[in-house]
């Protein structure tokens, strides 16, 4: 091989070549290696081996190069040859330990590295390597001892300080780990991995700003460090810098598209940003890359629940449980999904399974108590509070729901004493959902006692829910206006259908939230010929088809062809079958804010009957402000009296336009008439619907109690006898309506109050 064993002489001298000795060739190889010229070093080592230079240094060093280029089996063979040539060569034993560790042969790696230390007790690198091997074996205390020995032998060994930080982190000694990383960086200011790991420790210690600085330094030193970008995204997410977090995490994915954890982290960030559909896609990508990614299945289940895809949410959450059978949090979340699906018995079993798996986990208890309260099973609530009364970790949950139980039993003073004993620290540390429920419960207690200013303050706190930040209240107001454009700008032509679909037996119960729709729903569903489909996203699914499949804006629905109208009608009834067997004489689709969708309803179902409910406008707005609705774009408007009043004004304006411009077959239902003139008013509505009086409507409370779950905040109210205390209730809070009169006063006269 040209150049090996010979050198070019000076031109002034003869052209004779001097052959290098074996030792000179080996030393040249070692010199190249030490200088980092790996390619030349490898050539020289290979030449030595081909020439049968049986030198232990050659085989050991060549083994190191083979390891570095990923040829681990060949590296092992080469190192073992070195050891055979010189069994007392400590470096070779240490190098073999590294290779065996890379091959996953950790026990053998430990033996080889200990042999290196036996031969050379002051071999700092071997002590450090042994520490890493022991750490991988889970022998963390022994790993700490070995790594500290390496540092004792070489105090300036930056890698050993960083390795010690990793070990201390795994031991839960976070402060000590932080000091080790600081020392590693002090010794090597360009130590990328040390900055990255230091950032993780700082994050876990709650020092998020410092964690951000450290992780950004790691990225500055290595812009292509994908996992550092991912961790920066995690830190920024925790800091609430969601847009920046999204950018960082997307960069991590760009650098490593197959990084499942980054896709899952992006899902978390997008969820916090309210981009639920995008979050769903990110979780699904994480699962595609790693089908056994438990947390991704679990988080996907949560997102799907928020999106209203309850069956899919159940499937995802059950998959998380299948992969991790002792996943208590997943059982608790599954209980919430099953409750939303009105599968109340299995929901209870799921909560109790979570409690059994992790008795100190508070959430399942909270969810179980909340479950019993929502389904109006106060007897079971009382029994469960007694059942778990001695569990110290849930003393605040016990106080909260004991207060709620006393409130439901009209023991208002007792309720106040109980809820006032809930720990302020517990309130501050609770998530937004728990926090909302606490302040809402307390607000109603203070209201009943007559402490209206305190009650108002509590209602305000109950509406300070970070979940609303995911939603855009203006988008719902724009949604209302989109439908109005159909009336204002377009000529309307209504054709009768001859498609075999009967819509004479279809009605829509609409109005505004808290205007009496749930009470009327419960009364009407008590009639044997009426079926009410409550709060199901059937029309919103049809809207999605209009926008995505027909490529039609909601302000231009009258451009939809006759054939496509028939397709949409058919699709509506196909979806309806999922929620009812369609055997009763009359079907009522009940969502109050379907008021905004009246152009679509009338366009597709011109024969459908409309029941429009209303209540004293100020009472309606107050009641909306007092409730804890599930956050979405529409409900984001109901977090204050003023924004509720603005939305009320917009919806009522839409109703007035539709009433005067659409051929609606409608009746209005005044909440106060329902309270004061129950039978006459109910009979009037039944006559309009084409069904006769039935005595069973008087037993609507029994109907309410028999229902698995009522999907509105009115669940605790419709099981009570008719009461008049909710009428003119707004006057207790009159001074807080100062900015609302311009939006509400006109509707007071409009509805004849």
């Amino acid at each position: 091989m040209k150049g090996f064993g010979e050198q070019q002489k000076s031109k002034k001298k003869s052209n004779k070549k001097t052959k290098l000795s074996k030792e000179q060739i080996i030393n040249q190889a070692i010199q190249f290696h030490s200088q980092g010229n790996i390619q030349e070093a490898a050539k020289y080592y290979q030449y030595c081996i081909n020439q049968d230079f049986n030198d232990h240094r050659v085989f050991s060093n060549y083994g190191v190069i083979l390891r570095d280029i990923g040829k681990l089996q060949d590296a092992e063979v080469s190192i073992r040859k070195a050891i055979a040539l010189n069994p007392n060569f400590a470096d070779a034993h240490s190098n073999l330990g590294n290779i065996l560790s890379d091959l996953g042969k950790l026990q053998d790696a430990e033996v080889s590295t200990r042999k290196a230390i036996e031969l050379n007790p002051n071999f700092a690198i071997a002590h450090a390597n042994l520490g890493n091997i022991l750490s991988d074996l889970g022998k963390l205390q022994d790993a700490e001892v070995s790594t500290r020995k390496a540092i004792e032998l070489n105090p300036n060994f930056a890698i050993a300080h960083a390795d010690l930080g990793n070990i201390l982190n795994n031991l839960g000694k976070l402060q000590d780990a932080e000091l080790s990383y600081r020392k590693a960086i002090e010794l090597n200011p360009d130590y990328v991995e040390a900055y990255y790991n230091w950032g993780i420790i700082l994050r876990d210690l709650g020092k998020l700003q410092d964690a951000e600085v450290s992780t950004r330094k790691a990225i500055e030193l290595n812009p292509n460090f994908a996992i550092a970008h991912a961790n920066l995204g995690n830190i920024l997410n925790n800091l609430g810098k969601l847009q920046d977090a999204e950018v960082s995490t997307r960069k991590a994915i760009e650098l490593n598209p197959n990084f499942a954890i980054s896709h899952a982290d992006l899902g978390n960030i997008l969820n916090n940003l309210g981009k639920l559909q995008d979050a769903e896609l990110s979780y699904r990508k994480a699962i595609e890359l790693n089908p056994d990614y438990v947390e991704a299945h679990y988080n996907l289940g949560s997102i799907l629940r928020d999106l209203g895809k309850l069956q899919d949410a159940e499937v995802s959450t059950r998959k998380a449980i299948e992969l991790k059978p002792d996943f208590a949090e997943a059982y608790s979340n599954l209980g919430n999904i099953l409750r939303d699906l009105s599968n109340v018995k299995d929901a209870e079993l799921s909560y109790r399974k979570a409690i059994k798996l992790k008795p100190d986990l508070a959430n399942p208890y909270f969810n179980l108590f909340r479950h019993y309260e929502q389904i109006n099973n106060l007897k079971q609530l009382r029994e469960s509070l007694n059942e778990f009364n001695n569990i110290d970790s849930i003393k605040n949950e016990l106080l909260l729901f004991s207060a709620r139980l006393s409130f439901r039993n009209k023991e208002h003073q007792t309720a106040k004493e109980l809820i006032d004993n809930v720990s302020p620290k517990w309130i501050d540390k609770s998530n937004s959902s728990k926090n909302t429920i606490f302040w809402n419960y307390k607000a109603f207690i203070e209201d009943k006692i007559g402490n209206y200013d305190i009650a108002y303050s509590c209602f305000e706190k109950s509406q300070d829910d970070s979940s609303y930040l995911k939603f855009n209240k203006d988008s719902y107001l724009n949604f209302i206006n989109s439908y109005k454009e159909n009336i204002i700008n377009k000529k309307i032509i209504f054709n009768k259908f001859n498609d075999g679909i009967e819509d004479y037996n279809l009605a829509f119960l609409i109005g505004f939230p808290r205007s009496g729709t749930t009470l009327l729903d419960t009364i009407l569903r008590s009639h044997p010929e009426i079926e009410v489909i409550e709060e199901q996203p059937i029309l919103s699914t049809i809207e999605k088809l209009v926008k995505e499949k027909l490529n039609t804006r909601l302000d231009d629905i009258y451009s939809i062809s006759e054939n496509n109208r028939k397709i949409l009608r058919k699709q509506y009834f196909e979806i309806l079958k999922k929620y009812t067997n369609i055997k009763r004489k009359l079907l009522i689709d009940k969502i109050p804010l379907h008021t905004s969708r009246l152009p679509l309803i009338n366009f597709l179902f011109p024969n459908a009957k409309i029941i429009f409910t209303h209540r004293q406008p100020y009472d309606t707005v107050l009641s909306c402000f007092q409730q804890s609705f599930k956050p979405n774009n529409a409900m984001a408007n109901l977090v204050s009296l003023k924004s509720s009043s603005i939305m009320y004004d917009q919806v009522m304006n839409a109703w007035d336009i539709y009433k005067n411009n659409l051929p609606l077959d409608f009746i209005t239902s005044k909440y106060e008439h329902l309270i004061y003139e129950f039978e006459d008013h109910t009979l009037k509505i039944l006559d309009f619907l084409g069904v006769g009086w039935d005595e069973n409507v008087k037993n609507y409370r029994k109907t309410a109690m028999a229902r698995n779950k009522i999907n509105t905040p009115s669940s605790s109210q419709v099981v009570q006898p008719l009461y008049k205390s909710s009428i003119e209730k707004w006057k207790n809070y009159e001074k807080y309506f100062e900015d609302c009169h311009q939006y509400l006063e006109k509707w007071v006269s409009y509805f004849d109050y």
Side-chain angles (χ1 to χ4, degrees):
M1 184 176 292
K2 185 178 179 181
F4 284 101
E6 55 187 36
Q7 290 182 334
Q8 185 73 38
K9 291 188 177 181
S10 170
K11 291 181 180 178
K12 293 182 180 180
K13 298 181 180 179
S14 71
N15 289 328
K16 291 184 178 180
K17 299 178 180 178
T18 303
K19 187 175 182 180
L20 296 178
S21 69
K22 169 184 173 182
E23 188 65 25
Q24 287 175 317
I25 294 171
I26 293 172
N27 287 337
Q28 182 65 68
I30 293 172
Q31 183 178 357
F32 279 133
H33 199 169
S34 65
Q35 291 171 345
N37 191 344
I38 303 303
Q39 187 174 5
E40 287 300 314
K43 287 180 182 178
Y44 269 78
Y45 289 138
Q46 187 63 59
Y47 175 82
C48 293
I49 292 170
N50 292 340
Q51 296 299 316
D52 293 326
F53 292 178
N54 288 325
D55 188 287
H56 62 278
R57 295 168 298 170
V58 170
F59 284 99
S60 181
N61 291 344
Y62 190 50
V64 171
I65 291 175
L66 290 170
R67 177 201 176 203
D68 290 342
I69 63 176
K71 297 182 177 181
L72 296 179
Q73 287 81 3
D74 293 342
E76 180 182 357
V77 170
S78 187
I79 298 289
R80 288 194 183 280
K81 179 67 174 177
I83 292 172
L85 291 169
N86 184 355
N88 295 322
F89 187 26
D91 283 9
H93 286 284
S94 179
N95 291 334
L96 179 60
N98 290 335
I99 293 164
L100 292 169
S101 177
D102 292 344
L103 286 166
K105 302 175 182 179
L106 295 179
Q107 288 83 358
D108 293 343
E110 180 184 354
V111 171
S112 290
T113 310
R114 287 192 183 279
K115 182 64 178 178
I117 292 169
E118 176 188 323
L119 292 168
N120 181 2
N122 295 324
F123 196 171
I125 292 175
H127 284 285
N129 290 340
L130 179 59
N132 285 328
I133 294 165
L134 292 169
S135 178
D136 291 340
L137 284 166
K139 302 176 181 180
L140 296 179
Q141 288 81 2
D142 292 343
E144 180 182 354
V145 171
S146 290
T147 311
R148 288 193 183 279
K149 182 63 178 179
I151 292 169
E152 176 190 324
L153 292 167
N154 182 0
N156 296 324
F157 195 175
I159 293 175
H161 284 283
D163 289 343
L164 180 59
N166 297 338
I167 294 164
L168 293 168
N169 180 20
N170 291 331
L171 283 167
K173 302 177 180 179
L174 301 188
Q175 287 82 0
D176 292 342
E178 181 188 357
L179 293 176
S180 290
Y181 290 129
R182 284 183 186 273
K183 185 63 178 178
I185 290 166
E186 176 188 322
L187 293 167
N188 180 1
D190 294 333
Y191 197 163
V192 176
E193 290 77 10
Y195 280 108
Y196 167 73
N197 289 324
W198 188 26
I200 293 176
I201 287 291
L202 290 167
R203 180 198 68 191
D204 294 343
L205 286 169
K207 301 177 180 180
L208 295 178
Q209 288 83 358
D210 292 341
E212 178 184 353
V213 171
S214 185
T215 310
R216 287 193 184 279
K217 182 64 177 179
I219 292 169
E220 176 190 325
L221 292 167
N222 181 2
N224 295 322
F225 195 177
I227 197 170
H229 286 283
N231 197 47
L232 178 60
N234 186 282
I235 293 164
L236 293 168
N237 185 26
N238 290 332
L239 281 167
K241 301 177 181 180
L242 299 180
Q243 287 81 3
D244 292 343
E246 180 182 356
V247 170
S248 291
T249 311
R250 288 192 183 280
K251 181 64 178 180
I253 292 170
E254 176 190 325
L255 291 167
N256 185 355
N258 297 322
F259 196 5
I261 292 175
S262 287
H263 286 283
D265 286 344
L266 180 59
N268 297 337
I269 294 163
L270 293 169
N271 179 23
N272 291 334
L273 281 167
K275 302 177 181 180
L276 301 186
Q277 289 85 356
D278 292 342
E280 177 187 353
L281 293 176
S282 289
Y283 289 130
R284 289 193 183 280
K285 183 62 179 180
I287 291 167
E288 176 189 327
L289 293 167
N290 181 1
D292 294 336
Y293 196 163
V294 176
E295 289 75 14
H297 286 286
Y298 171 73
N299 288 329
L300 177 59
S302 297
I303 284 286
L304 291 168
R305 180 190 176 215
D306 290 342
L307 285 168
K309 302 177 181 180
L310 297 178
Q311 287 84 0
D312 292 342
E314 180 182 355
V315 170
S316 291
T317 309
R318 288 193 184 279
K319 181 63 178 179
I321 291 169
E322 175 190 326
L323 293 167
K324 185 179 177 182
D326 61 347
F327 197 173
E329 291 83 354
Y331 274 105
S332 184
N333 203 41
L334 177 61
N336 292 335
I337 295 165
L338 292 169
R339 185 187 67 206
D340 291 346
L341 286 166
S342 298
N343 189 347
V344 296
K345 187 61 180 176
D346 287 347
E348 177 186 352
L349 293 175
S350 194
Y351 293 136
R352 289 188 175 274
K353 179 66 174 180
I355 289 168
K356 183 178 180 181
L357 287 169
K358 194 177 284 190
D360 291 333
L361 183 64
N363 275 346
Y365 296 100
F366 185 97
N367 290 335
L368 180 65
F369 299 153
R370 176 80 168 140
H371 171 66
Y372 288 138
E373 197 273 337
Q374 283 189 310
I375 64 172
N376 294 305
N377 193 337
L378 300 186
K379 178 176 180 292
Q380 192 67 59
L381 174 58
R382 181 184 299 105
E383 290 176 358
S384 64
L385 290 170
N386 290 333
E387 177 185 359
F388 301 117
N389 188 50
N390 294 323
I391 299 178
D392 290 338
S393 61
I394 60 165
K395 61 182 180 181
N396 291 295
E397 286 81 0
L398 291 166
L399 283 168
L400 176 62
F401 284 97
S402 294
R404 182 63 173 177
L405 181 61
S406 295
F407 174 83
R408 293 288 302 271
N409 289 328
K410 303 188 185 306
E411 300 164 354
H412 300 136
Q413 193 58 48
T414 300
K416 177 171 171 55
E417 291 171 4
L418 287 165
I419 204 165
D420 283 349
N421 278 308
V422 173
S423 167
K425 289 183 179 179
W426 179 87
I427 299 166
D428 290 340
K429 291 182 179 180
S430 292
N431 61 33
S432 60
S433 176
K434 287 184 179 180
N435 209 274
T436 293
I437 290 170
F438 169 81
W439 289 112
N440 186 260
Y441 283 2
K442 180 170 173 56
F444 276 111
I445 292 169
E446 299 290 354
D447 175 86
K448 284 296 182 182
I449 291 174
N451 298 330
Y452 299 119
D453 289 338
I454 296 175
Y456 182 82
S457 174
C458 292
F459 282 125
E460 280 191 314
K461 291 176 182 177
S462 74
Q463 297 293 2
D464 187 19
D465 183 351
S466 60
S467 300
Y468 281 112
L469 297 176
K470 301 178 185 179
F471 301 97
N472 182 354
K473 66 179 183 179
D474 291 335
S475 70
Y476 188 76
L477 301 180
N478 293 334
F479 168 81
I480 297 171
N481 289 325
S482 292
Y483 269 121
K484 287 187 202 175
E485 289 296 315
N486 289 287
I487 310 300
I488 296 170
N489 297 329
K490 302 290 189 298
K491 181 179 179 181
I492 309 167
I493 300 174
F494 292 91
N495 297 320
K496 297 296 182 181
F497 290 96
N498 185 24
D499 57 1
I501 295 175
E502 180 60 75
D503 59 13
Y504 286 98
N505 66 337
L506 180 63
F508 291 86
L509 178 53
I510 65 173
F512 196 83
R514 309 301 298 164
S515 61
T517 51
T518 302
L519 175 58
L520 187 56
D521 158 5
T522 306
I523 293 168
L524 294 176
R525 75 170 60 237
S526 302
H527 196 290
E529 296 183 18
I530 296 175
E531 176 75 21
V532 181
I533 298 89
E534 181 191 39
E535 309 279 347
Q536 298 299 342
I538 308 174
L539 272 182
S540 62
T541 302
I542 299 300
E543 281 179 342
K544 188 175 181 181
L545 292 175
V546 168
K547 291 185 287 187
E548 296 180 4
K549 299 297 184 182
L550 303 183
N551 196 27
T552 302
R553 301 191 313 272
L554 294 181
D555 62 2
D556 193 30
I557 61 172
Y558 297 133
S559 67
I560 296 173
S561 69
E562 187 77 6
N563 186 56
N564 283 332
R565 286 174 71 193
K566 292 177 181 179
I567 292 172
L568 293 174
R569 280 163 57 85
K570 182 179 179 180
Q571 188 62 39
Y572 174 90
F573 279 99
E574 286 298 317
I575 300 170
L576 191 66
K577 290 177 183 177
K578 296 180 181 180
Y579 302 103
T580 178
N581 57 18
I582 316 186
K583 288 183 178 179
R584 298 202 181 185
K585 181 176 180 181
L586 181 68
L587 300 173
I588 300 178
D589 186 342
K590 176 249 178 176
I591 292 183
L593 288 176
H594 273 348
T595 304
S596 305
R597 295 183 166 101
L598 273 173
L600 180 63
I601 292 171
N602 192 235
F603 186 55
L604 297 180
F605 310 110
N607 298 311
K609 296 182 181 294
I610 307 297
I611 310 166
F612 177 80
T613 67
H614 64 88
R615 177 185 180 187
Q616 210 280 353
Y618 285 88
D619 280 337
T620 303
V621 165
L622 174 65
S623 189
C624 286
F625 169 64
Q626 291 177 327
Q627 303 308 314
S628 299
F629 294 101
K630 185 176 181 179
N632 57 40
N633 287 335
M635 298 302 105
N637 287 275
L638 304 181
V639 298
S640 74
L641 292 178
K642 183 175 181 179
S643 59
S644 298
S645 300
I646 292 171
M647 179 173 159
Y648 182 90
D649 182 39
Q650 292 272 17
V651 172
M652 293 306 121
N653 178 261
W655 162 249
D656 184 58
I657 291 173
Y658 302 149
K659 183 183 72 169
N660 292 316
N661 290 276
L662 295 175
L664 301 174
D665 184 10
F666 73 92
I667 189 173
T668 59
S669 173
K670 195 171 188 176
Y671 172 76
E672 291 79 4
H673 286 170
L674 196 59
I675 299 299
Y676 288 116
E677 306 163 18
F678 174 78
E679 290 195 24
D680 288 345
H681 188 70
T682 302
L683 179 59
K684 179 182 175 183
I685 294 172
L686 292 174
D687 286 344
F688 167 75
L689 294 173
V691 296
W693 174 264
D694 189 284
E695 286 294 312
N696 202 47
V697 298
K698 294 180 180 179
N699 299 320
Y700 71 90
R701 291 178 60 213
K702 183 178 179 181
T703 300
M705 291 297 295
R707 293 176 64 184
N708 283 341
K709 181 176 179 290
I710 299 172
N711 296 316
T712 76
S714 304
S715 59
S716 65
Q717 296 162 332
V718 296
V719 297
Q720 301 178 36
L722 293 178
Y723 55 90
K724 302 174 183 178
S725 59
S726 61
I727 296 175
E728 296 291 308
K729 185 177 179 179
W730 75 275
K731 290 186 176 179
N732 296 323
Y733 300 90
E734 186 169 3
K735 66 182 179 181
Y736 298 107
F737 279 90
E738 184 176 344
D739 295 332
C740 305
H741 300 306
Q742 59 183 314
Y743 306 108
L744 300 180
E745 199 60 38
K746 55 188 159 186
W747 301 111
V748 173
S749 57
Y750 180 89
F751 289 119
D752 195 25
Y753 285 99

